[in-house]
Amino acid sequence: MSFFGRLLGYLSLIVNLLLSLALLGVGLIASFETSDLKLDPIPAWSGTVTSTVLCAGLLGLVAVVLAFRPSKAARSLHVLWSLVVLYIGSRAFWSSAYRFDGIEDFKVSLWIFAGYLLVLLGSLLHFKSAGSKRRGYRRN
């Protein structure tokens, strides 16, 4: 794999780690409040948005930790996590609840979406760099 591919793979790991820690931190802070967390782009998959954010932060941390293992099965969770992040991040483009505040806001959202695509590409490159299970025949 090229230097750029490895760099993009490790950058994807760092971005996903920071995102997971941020989600976990926001979820922990919101769990001490009496009212439920309100984040429009994040769906309430596990009951409340607070518990969804907490579960997503934990899942992201598990995905990043498993991505350091050399097997493709362990790294596949990192790719799935990046796909979920891309899906949630791109919901603003087709959600009727979100409106852009002009062309500048739309351009910023496009740059953020391009960043999501780079993170997904980095996770795919990191997945492909995993070694195979079979050992090849080596001639001495």
Side-chain angles (χ1 to χ4, degrees):
M1 179 182 286
S2 69
F3 172 74
F4 180 71
R6 284 193 191 273
L7 182 68
L8 202 56
Y10 289 128
L11 183 65
S12 171
L13 285 170
I14 290 169
V15 168
N16 282 325
L17 176 67
L18 292 176
L19 177 66
S20 300
L21 289 174
L23 285 173
L24 195 59
V26 167
L28 284 174
I29 290 171
S31 67
F32 292 120
E33 295 291 322
T34 56
S35 62
D36 188 31
L37 186 63
K38 181 163 174 45
L39 295 171
D40 288 332
I42 298 178
W45 284 328
S46 63
T48 64
V49 176
T50 303
S51 60
T52 301
V53 167
L54 278 171
C55 292
L58 288 174
L59 179 69
L61 283 178
V62 168
V64 169
V65 168
L66 286 178
F68 285 105
R69 301 202 32 107
S71 72
K72 285 192 175 193
R75 291 183 181 191
S76 63
L77 187 60
H78 181 237
V79 175
L80 289 175
W81 169 252
S82 295
L83 279 171
V84 168
V85 168
L86 177 70
Y87 169 72
I88 298 294
S90 63
R91 283 186 57 179
F93 289 110
W94 65 77
S95 174
S96 62
Y98 188 80
R99 303 229 187 271
F100 297 105
D101 288 337
I103 193 71
E104 277 303 313
D105 193 29
F106 182 72
K107 285 180 184 178
V108 168
S109 297
L110 279 179
W111 279 111
I112 291 172
F113 181 72
Y116 289 142
L117 286 176
L118 273 177
V119 167
L120 178 64
L121 177 66
S123 67
L124 285 171
L125 290 173
H126 188 72
F127 173 75
K128 289 185 76 138
S129 71
S132 63
K133 287 186 176 184
R134 292 191 329 181
R135 303 252 180 201
Y137 176 73
R138 290 185 359 189
R139 290 176 51 180
N140 290 335

